[in-house]
Amino acid sequence: MSCVHYRFQSRLTYDSLQFEGLNISAGELKRQIMRSKRLKFCQLKISNAQTDEEYTDDALIPKNTSVIIRRIPAAGLKSSNRRFVGHQAGRWREPSPRADPSLLSLEQLLKTENLAEAKASEEDKLKAVMYQSSLCYYSSRAAAPLRTSAFGRAQGFPAASCWRWTTQTERES
């Protein structure tokens, strides 16, 4: 049994693909990799790991060769590289001037319990949802910079001396 060692460009480790004969065509290698990795809706580019020579579909790849696989979106499909960037601490923008003054501000939305029925822009509702959902993952002290950055000022947090542990005073009494 012969084999070709391959790895995807984003991976560190090589996988092996076994085949019969002295060489395998690049097209057959692509089909077998797509079948074994269950890939759909993409094309693969195969290049030699040592020489960076790119193989066409009809090129023959000798046994025991190391190749690098690159995934490319299929023709007609957009790349899925864009990711939704959620809440990032310190990245709040100031609210833009609104055309309708009856809409709630972001500061009022953060205190609202039912955001679905609140009268505000969708952008501000999403910001409020992301902010409120992230609060449970932070302690109240860690959330202070988030609240400060949301409005540009502190929101009535106790002084730093209040955060000290009270175990020492409890032991003295």
Side-chain angles (χ1 to χ4, degrees), residues 87-128:
H87 174 272
Q88 295 176 356
R91 300 273 177 158
W92 287 93
R93 291 185 306 157
E94 289 299 317
S96 57
R98 293 175 173 78
D100 188 4
S102 66
L103 295 178
L104 294 174
S105 69
L106 180 59
E107 186 175 70
Q108 294 167 333
L109 269 178
L110 291 177
K111 298 174 185 175
T112 304
E113 290 182 16
N114 188 358
L115 292 172
E117 295 177 4
K119 188 171 184 182
S121 69
E122 288 297 316
E123 182 180 333
D124 286 345
K125 284 182 184 180
L126 286 173
K127 284 181 184 178

Side-chain angles (χ1 to χ4, degrees), residues 134-147 157 163:
S134 66
L135 285 180
C136 66
Y137 296 107
Y138 298 107
S139 67
S140 58
R141 185 172 183 167
L146 298 177
R147 291 183 189 133
F157 289 101
W163 293 105

Side-chain angles (χ1 to χ4, degrees), residues 6-172:
Y6 69 94
R7 75 174 178 90
F8 287 93
Q9 186 176 10
S10 59
R11 305 273 319 257
L12 296 176
T13 59
Y14 281 89
D15 293 323
S16 297
L17 184 77
Q18 295 185 353
F19 60 92
E20 295 288 330
L22 297 175
N23 48 35
I24 186 171
S25 70
E28 180 62 25
L29 179 64
K30 287 179 186 180
R31 281 189 290 281
Q32 289 187 14
I33 290 172
M34 289 182 76
R35 188 179 316 124
S36 68
K37 296 294 183 179
R38 297 182 181 145
L39 298 175
K40 296 179 182 178
F41 309 117
C42 69
Q43 296 175 352
L44 300 178
K45 278 192 179 179
I46 300 176
S47 61
N48 192 315
Q50 284 80 24
T51 63
D52 280 340
E53 172 193 357
E54 192 169 310
Y55 294 112
T56 59
D57 281 346
D58 56 346
L60 294 177
I61 302 171
K63 66 178 183 177
N64 298 327
T65 302
S66 298
V67 295
I68 296 177
I69 310 294
R70 290 177 181 86
R71 280 180 269 218
I72 299 170
L77 295 178
K78 293 183 179 179
S79 173
S80 62
N81 265 353
R82 287 184 246 141
R83 293 187 179 109
F84 177 73
V85 178
H87 174 272
Q88 295 176 356
R91 300 273 177 158
W92 287 93
R93 291 185 306 157
E94 289 299 317
S96 57
R98 293 175 173 78
D100 188 4
S102 66
L103 295 178
L104 294 174
S105 69
L106 180 59
E107 186 175 70
Q108 294 167 333
L109 269 178
L110 291 177
K111 298 174 185 175
T112 304
E113 290 182 16
N114 188 358
L115 292 172
E117 295 177 4
K119 188 171 184 182
S121 69
E122 288 297 316
E123 182 180 333
D124 286 345
K125 284 182 184 180
L126 286 173
K127 284 181 184 178
V129 165
M130 290 187 300
Y131 177 77
Q132 289 177 354
S133 66
S134 66
L135 285 180
C136 66
Y137 296 107
Y138 298 107
S139 67
S140 58
R141 185 172 183 167
L146 298 177
R147 291 183 189 133
T148 302
S149 63
F151 306 110
R153 56 186 165 76
Q155 293 294 311
F157 289 101
S161 60
C162 296
W163 293 105
R164 293 193 185 120
W165 292 96
T166 59
T167 54
Q168 183 179 7
T169 57
E170 290 173 357
R171 277 188 249 145
E172 292 174 358

